[in-house]
């Protein structure tokens, strides 16, 4: 495996196959008479000769003209100098140079039948399965508003898993869920196991097994999810303004520095900080609302909030918040009792 392949193996398998032929780029063609370096070689495509530009010595003949022909091969009017097809899809196997027959023939239906027949003959079963899986991954990513780069990364990872047969015996749904989860981590898009479980309807343990296997066998740039990554999305779903979100992020960072919520999961920390900050800015959100968005229980939020409330003076500089816009009249008295 070369380093250009996405998600290379951590321990590449030894291969006894001979390496493919590659041209020696250290060999240079120079004129044997003038021996000028660097050489001034001219390609005369009209005569098919390779000529030295300094002394005129013919170094080769019958060379092939590799330039564009600039002829039109289109059926319609207009210039179409292209003789190539559509761009190859790197996520599919094969040369992808199949013949495509138009479906339109004036209404007789013959072209449509020919199109179906050629399509069935050209499409391989494995490729059809890959295309169907890519459609599922794209639809799942779109349903939870994931960007195209996350979707493409998940597709690349799935193809690597299929090519290397890394998850033999695992269901396709579990593999898809693990690929989407790793793609989110790699692109620094915060998504929890619970969200991926709800999206793919695959048990959390099954996703975890596939995730650990891929982490052990493939080189991925996954990072640990932190509370700051979740804060913006949770606040947006709760329709909280930006200044509340910023105060919540500052509170999370301060709690990490002090070690107030050490050992708590990032989701619990983010939910508890949102609960405290929302009451501080007099835009209260109930534990039920936050629990529904964050995917944790109300008891977990209240337990983490109790710890934050006990050390509120150490974690929050109330005077600094009052000096900022939208911070007039802030007081710890507005906080809910734990």
């Amino acid at each position: 495996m070369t380093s250009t392949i996405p998600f290379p193996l951590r321990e590449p398998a030894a291969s006894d196959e001979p390496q493919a032929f590659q041209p020696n780029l250290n060999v240079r063609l120079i004129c044997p008479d003038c021996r000028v370096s660097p050489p001034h070689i001219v390609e005369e495509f009209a005569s098919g000769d390779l000529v030295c530009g300094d002394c005129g010595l013919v170094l080769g003949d019958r060379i092939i003209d590799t330039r564009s022909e600039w002829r039109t091969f289109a059926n319609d009017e207009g210039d179409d100098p292209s003789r190539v097809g559509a761009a190859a899809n790197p996520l599919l196997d094969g040369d992808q140079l199949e013949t495509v027959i138009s479906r339109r023939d004036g209404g007789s239906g013959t072209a449509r039948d020919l199109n179906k027949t050629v399509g069935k003959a050209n499409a391989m079963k494995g490729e059809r399965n890959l295309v169907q899986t890519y459609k599922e991954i794209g639809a799942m990513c779109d349903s939870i508003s994931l960007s195209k780069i996350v979707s493409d990364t998940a597709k690349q990872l799935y193809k690597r898993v299929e090519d290397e047969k890394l998850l033999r015996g695992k269901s396709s749904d579990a593999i898809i869920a693990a690929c989407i989860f790793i793609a989110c981590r790699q692109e620094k898009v915060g998504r929890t196991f619970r969200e991926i479980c709800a999206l793919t309807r695959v048990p959390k343990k099954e996703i975890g097994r596939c995730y650990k296997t891929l982490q052990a066998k493939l080189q991925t740039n996954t990072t640990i999810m932190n509370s700051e990554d979740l804060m913006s999305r949770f606040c947006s779903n709760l329709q909280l303004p930006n200044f509340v979100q910023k105060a919540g992020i500052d509170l999370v960072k301060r709690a990490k520095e002090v070690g107030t919520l050490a050992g708590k999961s990032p989701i619990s920390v983010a939910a508890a900080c949102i609960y405290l900050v929302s009451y501080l800015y007099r835009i209260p959100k109930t534990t039920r609302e936050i629990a529904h968005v964050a995917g944790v229980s109300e008891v977990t939020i209240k337990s983490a909030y109790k710890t934050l409330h006990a050390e509120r003076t150490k974690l929050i500089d109330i005077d600094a918040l009052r000096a900022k816009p939208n911070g007039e009249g802030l007081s710890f008295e507005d906080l809910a009792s734990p």
Side-chain angles (χ1 to χ4, degrees), residues 47-105:
S47 59
D49 295 334
L50 202 64
V51 182
C52 175
D54 295 323
C55 65
L57 179 66
V58 177
L59 304 177
D61 59 352
R62 298 183 180 181
I63 61 173
I64 298 175
D65 188 353
T66 57
R67 299 174 302 175
S68 300
E69 296 182 66
W70 299 116
R71 295 169 57 195
T72 178
F73 293 89
N75 294 327
D76 302 329
E77 297 181 358
D79 294 333
D80 181 18
S82 175
R83 294 191 69 179
V84 300
N89 188 348
L91 298 175
L92 298 177
D93 298 320
D95 50 16
Q96 303 172 34
L97 297 176
E98 297 87 2
T99 301
V100 179
I101 298 177
S102 174
R103 285 175 168 266
R104 293 178 295 179
D105 60 351

Side-chain angles (χ1 to χ4, degrees), residues 189-259:
V189 178
R191 290 296 186 272
T192 63
F193 266 117
R194 188 185 296 269
E195 290 176 291
I196 302 299
C197 290
L199 172 67
T200 59
R201 298 180 181 179
V202 177
K204 181 178 178 181
K205 289 185 178 180
E206 191 67 21
I207 300 177
R209 292 193 191 102
C210 295
Y211 170 73
K212 289 181 179 179
T213 303
L214 294 180
Q215 280 286 88
K217 294 184 178 181
L218 295 178
Q219 298 180 21
T220 57
N221 297 324
T222 54
T223 57
I224 299 175
M225 182 177 59
N226 52 43
S227 303
E228 293 92 322
D229 298 334
L230 302 170
M231 186 68 70
S232 59
R233 188 159 51 87
F234 289 171
C235 290
S236 177
N237 292 337
L238 290 168
Q239 298 181 351
L240 291 172
N242 289 333
F243 59 87
V244 176
Q245 174 186 331
K246 188 176 184 307
I249 294 176
D250 294 339
L251 178 58
V252 168
K253 293 180 179 178
R254 179 59 180 164
K256 284 185 178 180
E257 294 175 1
V258 178

Side-chain angles (χ1 to χ4, degrees), residues 8-321:
L9 295 173
R10 293 189 183 275
E11 297 180 358
S15 177
D16 297 333
E17 297 180 1
Q19 294 185 353
F21 171 78
Q22 294 180 351
N24 188 354
L25 301 181
N26 293 322
V27 177
R28 292 193 306 166
L29 177 64
I30 63 173
C31 178
D33 285 355
C34 56
R35 295 185 178 277
V36 176
S37 182
H40 181 204
I41 308 298
V42 179
E43 296 177 333
E44 294 185 353
F45 293 109
S47 59
D49 295 334
L50 202 64
V51 182
C52 175
D54 295 323
C55 65
L57 179 66
V58 177
L59 304 177
D61 59 352
R62 298 183 180 181
I63 61 173
I64 298 175
D65 188 353
T66 57
R67 299 174 302 175
S68 300
E69 296 182 66
W70 299 116
R71 295 169 57 195
T72 178
F73 293 89
N75 294 327
D76 302 329
E77 297 181 358
D79 294 333
D80 181 18
S82 175
R83 294 191 69 179
V84 300
N89 188 348
L91 298 175
L92 298 177
D93 298 320
D95 50 16
Q96 303 172 34
L97 297 176
E98 297 87 2
T99 301
V100 179
I101 298 177
S102 174
R103 285 175 168 266
R104 293 178 295 179
D105 60 351
S108 66
T110 305
R112 185 176 68 249
D113 296 339
L114 284 174
N115 181 280
K116 288 183 179 180
T117 304
V118 172
K120 290 179 181 179
N122 291 335
M124 296 181 296
K125 182 179 180 181
E127 188 169 301
R128 288 200 300 268
N129 293 339
L130 274 178
V131 172
Q132 183 61 31
T133 303
Y134 293 156
K135 289 181 180 179
E136 292 181 15
I137 293 175
M140 288 181 180
C141 292
D142 291 342
S143 64
I144 57 174
S145 303
L146 292 176
S147 61
K148 187 177 184 298
I149 187 171
V150 176
S151 175
D152 292 344
T153 303
K155 293 174 184 177
Q156 286 182 344
L157 181 56
Y158 183 86
K159 188 173 189 304
R160 288 288 292 147
V161 173
E162 287 295 307
D163 291 344
E164 299 294 339
K165 306 297 182 185
L166 299 178
L167 294 174
R168 293 179 182 271
K170 300 293 184 182
S171 66
S172 178
D173 293 338
I175 299 174
I176 291 174
C179 291
I180 294 176
F181 184 76
I182 292 177
C184 290
R185 287 287 183 90
Q186 180 150 320
E187 301 301 331
K188 297 180 175 56
V189 178
R191 290 296 186 272
T192 63
F193 266 117
R194 188 185 296 269
E195 290 176 291
I196 302 299
C197 290
L199 172 67
T200 59
R201 298 180 181 179
V202 177
K204 181 178 178 181
K205 289 185 178 180
E206 191 67 21
I207 300 177
R209 292 193 191 102
C210 295
Y211 170 73
K212 289 181 179 179
T213 303
L214 294 180
Q215 280 286 88
K217 294 184 178 181
L218 295 178
Q219 298 180 21
T220 57
N221 297 324
T222 54
T223 57
I224 299 175
M225 182 177 59
N226 52 43
S227 303
E228 293 92 322
D229 298 334
L230 302 170
M231 186 68 70
S232 59
R233 188 159 51 87
F234 289 171
C235 290
S236 177
N237 292 337
L238 290 168
Q239 298 181 351
L240 291 172
N242 289 333
F243 59 87
V244 176
Q245 174 186 331
K246 188 176 184 307
I249 294 176
D250 294 339
L251 178 58
V252 168
K253 293 180 179 178
R254 179 59 180 164
K256 284 185 178 180
E257 294 175 1
V258 178
T260 304
L261 295 176
K264 298 285 186 181
S265 70
I267 307 173
S268 304
V269 174
C273 291
I274 291 174
Y275 183 64
L276 188 148
V277 173
S278 66
Y279 272 89
L280 184 64
Y281 278 90
R282 303 185 187 91
I283 313 175
K285 297 294 179 180
T286 64
T287 54
R288 176 176 295 181
E289 293 176 294
I290 299 175
H292 177 71
V293 170
V296 294
S297 65
E298 297 182 45
V299 177
T300 303
I301 298 176
K302 290 180 180 178
S303 175
Y305 172 74
K306 185 176 181 180
T307 307
L308 289 176
H309 188 272
E311 300 188 13
R312 59 189 182 279
T313 56
K314 187 188 300 184
L315 298 173
I316 300 175
D317 188 353
I318 195 68
D319 294 328
L321 291 180

